[in-house]
Amino acid sequence: MKILIVGSGGREHALTWKFAQSPKTEKVFVGPGNGGTAQEARCENVPLTADPASAAGQQELKAFALRENIDITVIGPELPLAEGIADTFREAGLAVVGPGKKAAQLESSKMYSKAFMAKYGVRAAKSSNFTSFEAALSFAAEHFEAHAGKATPPPGGAPLVIKADGLAAGKGVVIAQSLAQAEETLVSFMRDKSLGDAGNSVLLEEFLTGKEISVLAAVSCPSADRRITGSGGYILPFISARDHKRRFEGAQGPNTGGMGAIAPVPDFSQAAQNDFLTSILQPTLNGMIAENLDYRGFIFFGVMVNEDRCYLLEYNVRLGDPETQAVLPLMDFDLTDLCTAILESRDFSLAWKPGAVCAPVAVSSGYPGPYRKGDTITIDAAAMEKTGGKIFISGAAESAAEDAPLRTTGGRVLTVSAYGPNAEEAFSAAYRGLEAISFEGMGYRKDIGKE
């Protein structure tokens, strides 16, 4: 099989690595890829002249897939999906793992997503949406006045969650602790257009307390005209994971795209897992079928768990990053077989290796604000090999230097993903792996999995 992966981050590097392990894979192409995907066996980066989210980029990738007789294309990032790349490929007769544009609204529009949850009974936080700055600010003022001087009762409380309606590259959610912070955020999103059109509409949502869990899953729910007789569709959940969003130890500092992940999550009880299936996953599938969404791909459920009750925080219509770097090493099945089953609406049995993975992320100096670029990355290959860890590149390109073949290009530079028979040994191996890597200004959290 020839596989094409669209994207350039750590998630795409992990997918490339996993697909390349399959005896059924002839070659993996990655468009545009990064310095890590370029070094994987049987893999080749595809330089692009246009962004995959643009019409020109989609046509460029489609032409490549047709020319190279690509068997399966997997879309990594959210923006190309939101712009309809899966529809473009399917209309050309190409097999693509990723939801169509209509289904991608589950991530690309918070308002669409929340309306979907409400319509199909997906348990989630209460929220109100606004297109008027004045109305949003008035709602926030009433909220904080109502909670003044009160203790915070779980699962809701005095903080107010403000979400930009559209895609905002992980920067569209703020937990406002005061009216002043809420006003500052609303001014930034709605008046100053700090997120562009993504902030034209906002959701103001109750704050939920508990433990956050990420559940990635495979979805095979074709639209009715493509549905196999007798098959309504399915969502197959993977093992649980937990992302660590805050920049500094102890969940302090600004939110980021993710400072590291673990899998599985030790405090995700069986009772909570059962509740997730009945209160979130099944209603989601019911809604996909009822809305006739063409959804053949992956989905991410961001979940808050409080006393074994699950509340959906958000959908992502693709695999999470860095959760993918923690989950894929535990897969005990062929990813090409799963993707084929998704496309053909055949059932599939997931199997997982025992043990755990810890995957901390190394970032450039200044991240998540303005950050350094162009620094050479030094890796002690022998020391890394002893840990059994795997480096997944997120923001680094190939370098001409023989002693340092990679240079930094992004804020999140790389993830060290390490397996262990238990969480403690995985943690130890991952951090020994980080000690084998260096670049100017390199930073990382020291408590991934300990939070």
Side-chain angles (χ1 to χ4, degrees), residues 1-342:
M1 279 188 157
K2 290 183 179 179
I3 309 293
L4 171 62
I5 298 171
V6 177
S8 61
R11 165 186 49 227
E12 288 75 38
H13 188 182
L15 285 166
T16 300
W17 167 80
K18 191 64 179 177
F19 275 115
Q21 292 176 356
S22 171
K24 299 175 182 177
T25 298
E26 175 187 343
K27 192 162 189 179
V28 182
F29 297 94
V30 195
N34 60 39
T37 57
Q39 296 174 10
E40 293 291 337
R42 293 187 291 160
C43 299
E44 180 183 326
N45 284 353
V46 181
L48 300 177
T49 62
D51 190 310
S54 69
Q58 290 184 24
Q59 293 302 318
E60 187 176 2
L61 283 162
K62 182 184 77 172
F64 175 85
L66 290 168
R67 184 171 64 250
E68 292 292 333
N69 296 311
I70 297 296
D71 294 290
I72 297 176
T73 297
V74 180
I75 313 300
E78 62 272 25
L79 275 172
L81 291 167
E83 294 300 324
I85 191 171
D87 299 318
T88 298
F89 271 54
R90 288 191 179 113
E91 288 165 4
L94 293 163
V96 57
V97 177
K101 185 174 184 176
K102 181 181 177 182
Q105 291 179 96
L106 288 171
E107 179 174 4
S108 64
S109 171
K110 297 292 191 300
M111 290 185 180
Y112 176 90
S113 178
K114 292 296 288 192
F116 178 94
M117 295 176 204
K119 184 176 181 179
Y120 295 103
V122 179
R123 191 190 293 136
K126 297 175 184 176
S127 66
S128 300
N129 56 69
F130 300 91
T131 56
S132 161
F133 167 81
E134 289 77 13
L137 183 59
S138 176
F139 181 93
E142 291 176 6
H143 172 86
F144 283 103
E145 182 179 353
H147 287 87
K150 294 182 180 179
T152 303
L160 185 63
V161 182
I162 303 175
K163 295 182 176 181
D165 178 46
L167 296 174
K171 299 175 182 178
V173 179
V174 172
I175 301 172
Q177 302 291 338
S178 65
L179 178 58
Q181 188 181 8
E183 182 174 8
E184 179 184 0
T185 301
L186 291 170
V187 167
S188 174
F189 287 4
M190 303 186 80
R191 285 191 168 174
D192 295 345
K193 306 296 182 185
S194 61
L195 303 176
D197 291 342
N200 289 345
S201 305
V202 297
L203 271 83
L204 302 187
E205 188 173 88
E206 71 172 324
F207 176 74
L208 299 177
T209 61
K211 293 279 191 177
E212 283 196 47
I213 304 289
S214 302
V215 180
L216 313 181
V219 184
S220 184
C221 186
S223 55
D225 60 313
R226 296 183 172 97
R227 198 169 295 157
I228 298 170
T229 303
S231 171
Y234 60 72
I235 301 178
L236 301 177
F238 296 169
I239 57 171
S240 60
R242 174 170 286 144
D243 185 12
H244 297 64
K245 285 289 188 186
R246 298 283 188 170
R247 169 61 184 87
F248 301 111
E249 284 83 8
Q252 301 297 309
N255 272 327
T256 72
M259 292 299 297
I262 59 166
V265 178
D267 53 33
F268 193 30
S269 70
Q270 188 60 56
Q273 292 177 50
N274 293 340
D275 184 71
F276 166 76
L277 295 176
T278 57
S279 300
I280 295 177
L281 187 148
Q282 189 59 51
T284 297
L285 178 59
N286 295 343
M288 288 178 177
I289 294 170
E291 295 292 319
N292 197 30
L293 300 182
D294 190 354
Y295 204 128
R296 284 168 283 170
F298 299 107
I299 194 167
F300 166 109
F301 297 94
V303 179
M304 184 69 78
V305 182
N306 185 286
E307 296 182 351
D308 291 335
R309 285 172 63 84
C310 294
Y311 299 79
L312 183 62
L313 299 175
E314 64 175 349
Y315 296 112
N316 289 168
V317 296
R318 32 75 189 187
L319 294 173
D321 187 340
E323 291 95 339
T324 300
Q325 295 91 301
V327 170
L328 262 59
L330 291 170
M331 284 183 171
D332 201 12
F333 54 87
D334 192 319
L335 188 54
T336 59
D337 288 343
L338 173 61
C339 288
T340 301
I342 289 171

